[in-house]
Amino acid sequence: TIQEEEIWHDYALSLWFVQKPEASVLHFQKALAINPQFTKAMNNMACAAGLGAITGVLPRDYYQHAINALDQAVRLEPGNVLYWRNAVALMSAGGDESRAVATWQQL
């Protein structure tokens, strides 16, 4: 059976793809409220929030929220290269090159 957090996660992804980033982040948060250890939702919420902040469709403070979510995801699943790569990409896109390099070196 599908877990409820997966439904909220998938709905959040669909909202991102129809260019509703704020609603997308909100629904990723709903998935995380159900399962605070759901790293896939942390990662995808971070991508949505971070890209939204960098491109200006979301407030800039969403960027730090994204970095915090990715930090938590890699702490919970340090072997997941996708989460590390997304953290580095987001930091680079956000202009935080020194942090991106330091994060990459941890991988």
Side-chain angles (χ1 to χ4, degrees):
T1 61
I2 296 176
Q3 299 297 316
E4 186 178 356
E5 65 266 27
E6 288 281 353
I7 294 168
W8 287 115
H9 170 272
D10 293 352
Y11 183 58
L13 279 178
S14 69
L15 289 166
W16 173 258
F17 288 120
V18 296
Q19 300 176 0
K20 295 184 178 181
E22 195 163 2
S24 175
V25 171
L26 175 69
H27 286 83
F28 282 125
Q29 290 171 335
K30 286 182 180 185
L32 289 165
I34 295 165
N35 180 356
Q37 307 297 309
F38 190 18
T39 55
K40 181 171 69 170
M42 286 175 205
N43 174 69
N44 288 327
M45 180 184 64
C47 292
L51 288 173
I54 290 167
T55 60
V57 296
L58 291 174
R60 184 69 183 160
D61 63 324
Y62 276 65
Y63 175 78
Q64 191 55 52
H65 179 66
I67 295 300
N68 293 343
L70 282 168
D71 183 57
Q72 186 177 2
V74 299
R75 287 177 195 269
L76 290 170
E77 282 194 49
N80 192 317
V81 176
L82 174 66
Y83 300 166
W84 286 96
R85 186 191 60 132
N86 285 345
V88 170
L90 191 59
M91 290 171 193
S92 292
D96 196 353
E97 289 298 326
S98 61
R99 188 168 181 192
V101 169
T103 301
W104 183 255
Q105 290 172 344
Q106 292 179 56
L107 183 62

